[in-house]
Every structure is written in C-alpha cells, then in structure tokens.
Amino acid sequence: MTKANSAPPDRPPLRAVRGEILYFTDDPAVAGAGAQAHFPDGLLLIRNGLVDAVGPSAELLPQLPAGVAVDDHRGKLILPGFIDTHVHYAQLDVIASPGEQLLSWLQKYTFPAEARFANQEYAEAEADVFCDELLRNGTTTALAFATVHPGSADALFAAARRRRMRMITGKVLMDRHCPDNLCDLGGTGETETRALIERWHGRDRLGYAVTPRFPATSSAAQMEAAGRLFAEYPGLFLQSHLAENREEVAWIARMHPGVRSYLDVFARFGQLGPRSVLAHCIWIDDEDRARMAEAGAAISFCPTSNLFLGSGLFDLARARAHGVRVGMGTDVGAGTSLSMLQTLGEAYKVLQLQGQKLGAEEAFYLATLGGARSLYLDACIGSLAPGREADFVVLDPAATPLIARRMAQCATLAERLFVFMTLGDDRAIHATYILGEAVWRR
Ligand code: GUN
Ligand code: ZN
C-alpha cells in the first residue's frame, strides 16, 4: 500500500487541530510509561493529509501561517484513529444472534446472512453502512472479511475509497463444508482472488487480504492456492481464524491427522508470515506462540466475540512473553460491538478472569499502534508522529452524565483512559478525522 498522497485541490493543504493529544511511540508494557507523546494542550498541524507537526499549542500556534483555521477541541482527547484488525462487514446484521457456539452459529445465522451478498446492490448498501458505522465508532482502518462473492469485496473497497479510509479486505475462500451457494466451485476462488488483487491492492489506501475462512472450509488445493497468492504479490495480507473454539480445534485435528497443532496447518500451506493476521488464537501453546512471533504473524484479540460465543479466554500475557504482534478485533457479528472502547473494556475483563492486568495505556496502545504494527503499517498509521497519515479520533469526556461525573474524579491520564474504555462507546466519539478532515461529528 502506498502512503496517502496529497489532498485534492478542493481541500485546504494546511489544517490545524487543537486539544489534548496522546499517542504511543512504543508498547508501554515493554518500553514503560515513557512510550507515549502527550500534550495536554496540543496542536496538530496537518499538511496535505499528513501530520506536519505536533506539540504544545504554546509552541506551535505562534508559528501557524496566517489564515489557517484551528479546529478547537480543547477539553477533549485526540488519539490516533482506532484499528480493527478483525471484523466481518457482512455480519453486521448477525450481531446479537443468541444461543450458539461457533460451528452451529455459523450454520444457523452467519452463512444465511452472507448468502445475501450475492446481490450486488445489497452488498453495496451494507458496505456503506459498515464504513459509516466504523467512522461513527472512531475506527479509521480495518482488516475485514467480505463474503465468498467477489462483488462483496468490490463493494467494500469502493465504499472505503469514497471515504478515503484505509481498508484491507478480501473475498472469502471456501470450497468445502459450506452451503453450495457460498462455495468456490471448480477452483474459481484463486482466479477471482487474483482479479481482485489486480484491481484493488495498493490502490490509494486499499490493501488486499487473501482470506481463507479457516482450514475447515478450504480443501488442501484451496489452502495451497491461498499460500501461493500470499507469496506472489508483495505487501499482500492474509487473514483467517485460528484455534477459536474447542470443538473447531478437534475438527481440524481430525482433518489433518499429521500436524503438530492447528497453527501447523497454516504454516504447511505457506500462510504464516508478516501481514498474516490470525483471529482468536485461544487454544494454542507456547510453541505456536514462538512460531508466530518468529514468522512475524499477528494475533487479533477479539474479546467480545470470545465471550459471546463462549469460545474461551485469550492469554495476552503468554502472547506478549513470546513477542507475538497483537492487535484488537471486534469480530462483529460474533463480536457484540464495533466500538473499540467497548472492545477494550471487555479485554480488561477477559484478562481479569485469568489474573492478568490490562493497563489503560496498554489497552489504547493495542487499539492504535499495536494494530498498526500487526498490519506492518506503523510507518503510516497508529500514531500521530510527524509524517503519519492524519487519521484521528476526538473523545468526549462528558459524553454522558455518568462519564462526566466519573471523569471529574480522575487524577491521571491513565484513569481517564480507563473510564473511556469501561464506560465509553460510540457516544464518546465526538469526531473522527480521515487524512485531517472531519468525516464524522457528533
Ligand atoms: N471461524 C470461521 N468463520 C468464522 C466467522 O465468521 N466468525 C468467527 N468468529 N469465527 C469463524
Ligand atoms: Zn471472525
């Protein structure tokens, strides 16, 4: 993917935004509290959609060329836009479907919902709703599953492109153990994927992700094709699911009797490497973690989904001990919210159940720079350091009466961040900016 280029002529080249600014420069769990840039009264200077300068307002305001309007968000908190590293855009309407765990949930709710994306008009309308919902929730970049229909990926790429969002998606590859109307019959998956890569990968802010749903629904031939495609095009992503549910893990083991572990299936088919992002990774062991870290693959931690489907508790401490890249995923529609704030709040609880502590700074790191590092996009997004793309979110500490009351008790930035992730949701998103331009305001 290329860096975002200059703003079109109808957009002013220079913009300034004022408020409390926070971004991470490294993982606070590894590098300590110094791994952040924090300006209580800060100014972001944006030139042609990129951060030109960031620092205290007192220093930067006097240098501001005459005529540059300042978007004033004093009293609110400006953070890099959230990065959702695992979500299914075609499952918006499956959210809140009760009573099942993974495999029966797929059959009962998800496959029928995804089948509707054979209709292109429907796919286009859903893609618009999805992108708008992401922006309303402060999410500016996503790694998203489309459906098996190539037109569903076209629809999401086009919707994101119209909004100038960073979006990585791909058509689902699935050729067995799935309904006929969602099946890549006759090896069409590879040809269709190739055509989509040629059409979209690296265009503006878009990237293609080879998308084998999970090894249960792809034949060996299709898994091989996915690995081949992943190796063939530079900068391509790969997204899938790994070790989410115990019944699923047992099923995969029966299908692949010779492998050491579920992860080994991806490795054997050449699907493990930088820019492969595997969701869940609950039922894995330390050898798997070491292997993922060594390969440069990333885990998407999807707490609301893991709780909702009763899948299990993701072990962040073990992933961190092995140095695996980790980002946050909402995994809607198994996940119960597109809000990254709610997702972080649930992550805290998942870790509490295992005796682990998720600090607020670490949580917001995972939702921003951690996600960018998982996608190898940290030179472009995930922070507000000069040169980065000016995608950011403005959080409102008075979003609700209760949040305002609780915020008033906070003495530190970490306490305020913790209130946002525990009590916040889409109502706390005051504004969302893409390449320096407000695309959502409450
Ligand atoms: N595993 C295979 N497909 C899916 C899916 O759509 N959602 C989740 N959560 N897990 C999966
Ligand atoms: Zn998923």
Side-chain angles (χ1 to χ4, degrees):
M1 267 194 279
T2 47
K3 273 215 156 197
N5 45 24
S6 51
D10 57 326
R11 296 191 168 95
L14 209 57
R15 294 161 177 273
V17 181
R18 184 174 183 179
E20 181 177 1
I21 298 171
L22 171 69
Y23 63 89
F24 296 92
T25 53
D26 203 345
D27 184 346
V30 177
Q36 64 184 41
H38 179 220
F39 307 103
D41 179 3
L43 195 81
L44 258 183
L45 190 62
I46 298 149
R47 189 183 296 275
N48 293 328
L50 306 183
V51 178
D52 195 53
V54 59
S57 286
E59 271 174 35
L60 292 179
L61 273 176
Q63 304 168 22
L64 207 61
V68 176
V70 178
D71 215 346
D72 195 341
H73 291 302
R74 271 177 290 178
K76 300 192 171 64
L77 178 64
I78 299 172
L79 293 169
F82 299 132
I83 299 173
D84 190 339
T85 60
H86 184 79
V87 60
H88 300 252
Y89 101 85
Q91 294 179 13
L92 265 188
D93 297 338
V94 174
I95 202 165
S97 297
E100 306 296 334
Q101 291 213 351
L102 175 64
L103 299 176
S104 47
W105 173 85
L106 284 171
Q107 296 292 338
K108 184 169 172 183
Y109 299 116
T110 308
F111 290 158
E114 293 192 7
R116 290 188 229 139
F117 286 70
N119 178 324
Q120 191 61 21
E121 267 176 41
Y122 179 79
E124 286 167 10
E126 291 287 301
D128 278 328
V129 172
F130 175 72
C131 289
D132 289 341
E133 275 298 299
L134 288 184
L135 295 173
R136 235 173 44 72
N137 280 285
T139 297
T140 50
T141 292
L143 171 59
F145 272 56
T147 66
V148 76
H149 316 94
S152 72
D154 284 322
L156 183 53
F157 278 128
R161 186 164 182 253
R162 281 195 293 279
R163 291 164 179 80
R164 303 199 303 154
M165 295 171 74
R166 270 207 180 270
M167 183 64 69
I168 306 160
T169 188
K171 84 156 226 94
V172 167
L173 290 166
M174 189 152 65
D175 68 352
R176 65 172 180 173
H177 301 134
C178 57
D180 285 349
N181 60 354
L182 288 177
C183 189
D184 289 313
L185 296 166
T188 49
E190 183 174 4
T191 327
E192 289 171 352
T193 297
R194 203 175 281 285
L196 286 165
I197 294 168
E198 302 282 351
R199 197 172 315 140
W200 295 108
H201 184 59
R203 188 170 169 190
D204 298 333
R205 306 184 82 198
L206 309 175
Y208 195 86
V210 179
T211 307
R213 179 170 215 120
F214 67 146
T217 48
S218 286
S219 63
Q222 188 170 66
M223 289 293 279
E224 250 171 51
R228 205 163 44 236
L229 287 163
F230 184 45
E232 189 177 323
Y233 293 86
L236 218 57
F237 299 81
L238 184 136
Q239 56 181 345
S240 193
H241 299 90
L242 169 65
E244 174 178 5
N245 165 288
R246 274 186 283 198
E247 209 184 315
E248 168 217 9
V249 174
W251 193 26
I252 298 291
R254 288 197 299 277
M255 280 178 204
H256 296 275
V259 301
R260 195 200 76 82
S261 71
Y262 194 152
L263 181 73
D264 206 23
V265 181
F266 289 101
R268 284 186 179 200
F269 289 109
Q271 297 180 16
L272 209 57
R275 289 179 307 281
S276 50
V277 180
L278 301 175
H280 310 303
C281 302
I282 296 168
W283 306 103
I284 62 172
D285 62 17
D286 279 347
E287 197 170 324
D288 293 328
R289 293 180 185 100
R291 200 159 175 197
M292 287 190 79
E294 198 194 355
I299 295 174
S300 179
F301 174 17
C302 306
T304 74
S305 166
N306 299 158
L307 294 171
F308 184 75
L309 290 183
S311 301
L313 305 174
F314 173 68
D315 192 335
L316 180 63
R318 298 304 306 158
R320 195 184 274 146
H322 286 270
V324 192
R325 289 167 195 253
V326 179
M328 299 305 304
T330 61
D331 195 27
V332 163
T336 51
S337 172
L338 284 174
S339 164
M340 194 50 73
L341 298 176
Q342 290 205 310
T343 304
L344 296 179
E346 296 308 287
Y348 176 84
K349 297 171 197 168
V350 161
L351 296 168
Q352 274 284 56
L353 284 167
Q354 301 171 88
Q356 298 178 26
K357 295 201 188 313
L358 179 63
E361 280 122 335
E362 173 66 8
F364 280 84
Y365 160 81
L366 289 172
T368 55
L369 188 59
R373 285 177 166 177
S374 297
L375 302 173
Y376 291 78
L377 285 175
D378 44 307
C380 301
I381 55 171
S383 99
L384 294 171
R388 302 303 189 283
E389 297 163 4
D391 289 354
F392 54 91
V393 58
V394 183
L395 300 186
D396 181 2
T400 71
L402 185 60
I403 292 176
R405 270 184 82 85
R406 183 61 183 85
M407 285 289 178
Q409 309 297 316
C410 293
T412 66
L413 172 62
E415 286 177 51
R416 286 186 286 132
L417 290 173
F418 193 73
V419 172
F420 273 128
M421 67 189 247
T422 304
L423 300 179
D425 54 28
D426 54 331
R427 293 169 297 177
I429 308 302
H430 180 70
T432 305
Y433 285 69
I434 293 283
L435 296 175
E437 193 173 312
V439 291
W440 159 256
R441 282 183 200 268
R442 240 189 133 68

